[in-house]
Structures are given as structure tokens and as C-alpha cells.
Amino acid sequence: MAAYTLKRCLGAVKVIHKCGSHRFIARRCLLSTAYTDTKLWDAREKDHQNLALLATLMDRTYDRNFPVSSLSISRFVDNISSREEVDQAEYYLYKFRHSPNCWYLRDWTVHSWVRQCLRYGARDKALHTLKNKVQYGMFPDDFTFNILIDSFIKDEDFKGACSVVEEVMLQESFDLPTTQILSLYALSNYLATKPELSMSDERALGASLLISGLKQDGSIGLSAQLLGCALLGKVEMAAGIHAVFRGMPLMWTPGYLGRALAVMERVAAAPGDGKLSKDAVDYLEGLLQDLSSASDSSSGEDDESGGEEGKKEEEEVDEDDQAERDKLPLYASRFKDLSGQLQSRGKVDPSPLQVLVSSLVQQSLASAEGPDMEQYQRKVGEWEAERQQLIRREKEMRERAEEERRAHQAAKAAAMQG
């Protein structure tokens, strides 16, 4: 029922898709060409390699139980020139991650990997390695996250974009305004498609909405927080608080539905013009109704069966989780009161969250790109300086090794002559 309610509350967004203005917003809701342009990245000094020879060298090094250098794996990724070589690079990234040098995978190699995947039509590989980051060492910086999210949005693959946003959330990387805007755009547009959500989906979307919403002021941030807490509250009521925070950067104290109501209370009491989107408020209302109905039905079934099964279930439920479920009537009553206050004070925005975020894109995305590109330019310079330093160090070590080899040969020859 709660899933149906989410569909019902977000259904109004479909009407907006029909108007020309929204189609214009959808096209603009992307990073600019200048932001995603590869000229700066491609302008780095080339370190051309024969990938077949490099692969053989790395295989031989692994076979001898010697560590492969971060420079070798960086060269392999930088010299990818086909889709097939993307697959080969994935294998060596995995091998490197499980080698003694695994901690030294360079940030620029991660960035280069994502760019190469996008260039050669292997975005699925970029997402796979990101979702399996522990196995591949994929921990991108904010700029890299942005260009990957943007590529999914451009193709209207909002589910894929949300998968990347989930990783942003897990890394707590919502520092850049561009990342916040892109993430909220992906989340709101995905929910507008009325997807069938599993409990795992609800948890990931809820956490992403909540954490990204905390970074935004005004109606958008507040609405995202409300919807995020509601989704997490639904998971908490179904499976307990441990199912919510395990493996997530979230609070481990129970009460996510209470936190959703606290957002409503804060907006109702605030003197400013902050509002909550109607679809977020409606979703919480429908969720509370569904949970209350499910609770009443469960109580009735327990009475008919003599309460034996109900007692067993209560014994298995954590005490804090049961206490939270017992608060449902209080939450429902409090919601009615707060909803009335919001309505009477004009604190409910009739626009869906998707439209509010689209407006934010129009107003703020272009101006937020500038600082990102300046920072990226500095970062590329720093990465290149570090890469050149590693190349010089490698050259020096090889020269030293060659000198030692020659000295050893000379000493051996002298000993034989003596």
C-alpha cells in the first residue's frame, strides 16, 4: 500500500512532462559541454605504451610474486583505445586491488578509468567497479562522480544515476553544490517514474534524499529530508533500526518517522518562506495510514489465533523497535496536527519535488559549475606533477639498478680473471 501511495503522490508529475517548458528544463538539467569536455584531460603529456607488452610484464611480475607499481596500472588505463581493452583493464584493476600495492591506486587512475569507460561505451563497467569498490578500489572524487551521474541523466537512465548517487551517499561526498543538484535531480526524476521499490531500494533512496537534502536550504532540502526520513521510517517499521543504519552513514537511534514529523514541525514554526512539497507530505500521510492499517490487521489476526503467534513475534522483535512501532498512533495524530498547521500557514508547495529541483537547476547549476572547473584544472595539474615525479623516480631506480648490475658483472669478471 505504501508503494501505491508513493505512486499516487508522485503521479501528478506526469502532467508536467507534457508541457514544453518541462521538456526544456529536462534538456538543460545537465552539466555544460565545457564541464564534461575532455580537452584538458587529453592535453596531459602522453606516455604511450604497447598494452600487450605491458600486460605481459604485469603478468610476469605477479607470477614472480613481485608488486606491480601504481604507475603501471595507470599507464594501462590511460592507453585504453577500445572496448575490449576496457575489459582487460578491469581485470588488472582487480588484480592490483588484491596486490600488496593496493593502497596506492592513484586518484587520477580512477578518474581516467571512468573517462575511458564513458569514451568507449562501457559505462556499465564504470558502474560495476564503483558498486564493487572494495574489489576494485574505486573511490572517485566529486568531479568524477558528477560526470558519471550526468552521463546517466543525459540518457534519462535515472535508475543508473541513482545507483551512482547511492555511492556518493556512502562516501558522504555531497560537498559540491553541483553534486547536490545532480543527485537531487536524479532522485526526484527516478521517483517520478513510479518504480517498484524493494526494501533495499527504499533504504538507499531514503538515505540519499536525507543526506543530500541536509546540504540544501529552503523547500527542496526540507522536502528531500522529509521524504528521505519517511522512506527510512518505512524500512525501520518493517525490519527494525538495524536494517536502516547497517553499512550506512546514518544515525543508529530509532525514530525516523519521528524525524520526518520533526521536519514538518520545524517548517511550520519557522518564520521564513520555507515550504514542503505536497507530494512529500502526501507520501508521509499515506505511509502512516498504511502502517496503521497493517498494524490493526495484525492485531486482529493475533486475537483470532489466540495471540500465540503474536507473542512469538514480539519476543523476536527488538525492544526498541517494538517501542517505535507502538508510537504509530501518536505519529498519526501528530501528523494531522502538523499538516493542518502547514496548510493554514501556507507552508505546503503544490509543486512536486521534481519540479522544484528542475527550477533549482535552471537557477543554480550553471553558476555552480565555475568553481568546480577551476578546482578540476588545479587538480589535474597536481595529478600531472605527481605522475611526472613517479616517472622520474622510476627512471632513477632503473638507472641505479642498471649501474648495480654492471658493477656486479664487473666484479664477477675481475674475480674470474684473478
Side-chain angles (χ1 to χ4, degrees), residues 296-315:
D296 292 342
S297 299
S298 177
S299 298
E301 290 174 2
D302 289 344
D303 291 341
E304 291 177 5
S305 62
E308 293 297 327
E309 293 182 5
K311 288 179 181 179
K312 286 182 181 179
E313 288 182 4
E314 286 185 11
E315 290 174 0

Side-chain angles (χ1 to χ4, degrees), residues 279-346:
D279 57 346
V281 176
D282 287 349
Y283 175 69
L284 180 57
E285 180 181 22
L287 175 60
L288 290 170
Q289 290 174 355
D290 292 343
L291 291 172
S292 298
S293 298
S295 178
D296 292 342
S297 299
S298 177
S299 298
E301 290 174 2
D302 289 344
D303 291 341
E304 291 177 5
S305 62
E308 293 297 327
E309 293 182 5
K311 288 179 181 179
K312 286 182 181 179
E313 288 182 4
E314 286 185 11
E315 290 174 0
E316 294 174 359
V317 174
D318 183 272
E319 184 178 338
D320 291 335
D321 293 333
Q322 187 58 47
E324 184 64 20
R325 292 172 185 175
D326 292 340
K327 293 179 182 177
L328 265 176
L330 176 63
Y331 286 156
S333 175
R334 189 176 166 204
F335 174 84
K336 290 180 181 178
D337 180 47
L338 290 171
S339 180
Q341 293 181 35
L342 289 169
Q343 293 287 353
S344 64
R345 297 170 188 177

